[in-house]
Amino acid sequence: MRDPMPYIMLAATLVLIIAMVLMLTRLIGGPSLYDRLLAVNSFGTKTVLFLCVFCFIIDRPDGIDIALLYALMNFIATIAVLKFFNYRALTVDLRDVADQEDGS
Amino acid sequence: MMTVLLMAAEPVATTASSGGISGADVIGFLRDLITVISLAGGLFFVLAGTIGVIRLPDFYTRLHAAGMTDTLGAELILFALIVQSDSWQVIAKLLLVAFFLFVTSPTATHAVAHAAYRAGEKPKLGPWRAPSIEDEG
């Protein structure tokens, strides 16, 4: 009797790939910048999950480190792109920004 | 926690003398069952969030669907992998990934929503009118 667990994991990776492709359609056809940014963020989360499950399929758990690094880079890239499109620069003196914002 | 209990019960499980089902077989079957249930739930939530991102009419509703379901689906899938794993190092790494996703995914969702609101992204309003930026005193 063979172990059925790798086949279940393989089906899970196929479902995750389908979800990633659907998220890519929103990334291509999103009306605004923020739709595309949301699609990129969600795609990154699905990529982290895909890497974890795939490392269990090939029975080499070292790749979970790669998944952790990718999660970190995804979050930092999202914040950096948001800041760049808010202020048109990546180096911002936040005291000037606080002077410009009236409340909120 | 479940994995700790299961792994602590493994040395106690002795093979049955009368050719029946051993305790290790029962433990393995329970682990596989929990893994399959958690994986199915997590994949359901991930697919539901993706379909919501495609089909909902408005940016903020799409953001809500993506943020909520991605967080819960990711946690369920990582819990399934934690139950399935054997060594303590892998469990520690997966717990780290799960904690990090649990912290950063709502943070990124909130940041995107706040940036879109400040940039004047209009929601599609229903019969109840949402407060706009000009109404803020």
Side-chain angles (χ1 to χ4, degrees):
Chain A
M1 176 181 170
R2 302 186 62 179
D3 189 17
M5 218 48 219
Y7 298 100
I8 296 170
M9 297 271 185
L10 190 63
T13 52
L14 288 180
V15 174
L16 279 174
I17 285 173
I18 289 170
M20 285 157 76
V21 169
L22 293 179
M23 201 53 88
L24 278 181
T25 61
R26 171 56 66 192
L27 195 145
I28 292 168
S32 67
L33 162 76
Y34 301 100
D35 279 314
R36 293 190 171 95
L37 205 52
L38 150 75
V40 166
N41 193 9
S42 185
F43 185 80
T45 305
K46 287 174 179 58
T47 310
V48 171
L49 293 176
F50 172 76
L51 278 174
C52 290
V53 181
F54 187 72
C55 292
F56 267 80
I57 287 178
I58 63 176
D59 203 6
R60 183 183 290 182
D62 303 333
I64 299 172
D65 300 333
I66 303 171
L68 183 61
L69 269 179
Y70 196 79
L72 277 161
M73 290 303 293
N74 183 30
F75 175 66
I76 293 171
T78 302
I79 299 300
V81 169
L82 278 175
K83 187 174 178 181
F84 179 73
F85 278 100
N86 260 345
Y87 304 123
R88 299 294 171 188
L90 284 179
T91 58
V92 179
D93 193 357
L94 288 179
R95 289 169 297 187
D96 301 341
V97 173
D99 289 340
Q100 289 171 5
E101 289 178 359
D102 297 328
S104 79
Chain B
M1 191 182 300
M2 184 81 63
T3 319
V4 174
L5 293 176
L6 292 179
M7 290 180 73
E10 273 191 1
V12 186
T14 57
T15 56
S17 58
S18 62
I21 301 173
S22 64
D25 287 342
V26 176
I27 296 293
F29 176 73
L30 279 180
R31 283 172 65 182
D32 286 357
L33 190 66
I34 292 170
T35 303
V36 166
I37 289 172
S38 296
L39 262 181
L43 289 175
F44 168 74
F45 279 118
V46 166
L47 267 182
T50 311
I51 292 169
V53 167
I54 288 174
R55 294 205 51 194
L56 284 171
D58 188 12
F59 166 69
Y60 294 101
T61 51
R62 285 175 207 148
L63 192 77
H64 181 72
M68 300 295 116
T69 56
D70 266 359
T71 308
L72 185 58
E75 297 304 318
L76 276 174
I77 290 175
L78 286 172
F79 174 73
L81 293 182
I82 284 172
V83 171
Q84 195 61 32
S85 61
D86 286 331
S87 66
W88 291 104
Q89 304 174 7
V90 179
I91 291 173
K93 287 178 192 176
L94 283 171
L95 278 177
L96 204 58
V97 174
F99 171 74
F100 197 78
L101 279 182
F102 186 74
V103 170
T104 56
S105 181
T107 310
T109 304
H110 169 74
V112 173
H114 186 70
Y117 182 70
R118 289 292 307 277
E121 185 87 18
K122 296 293 182 192
K124 283 189 179 178
L125 298 178
W128 291 278
R129 186 172 167 275
S132 63
I133 300 179
E134 291 82 12
D135 290 341
E136 287 185 347

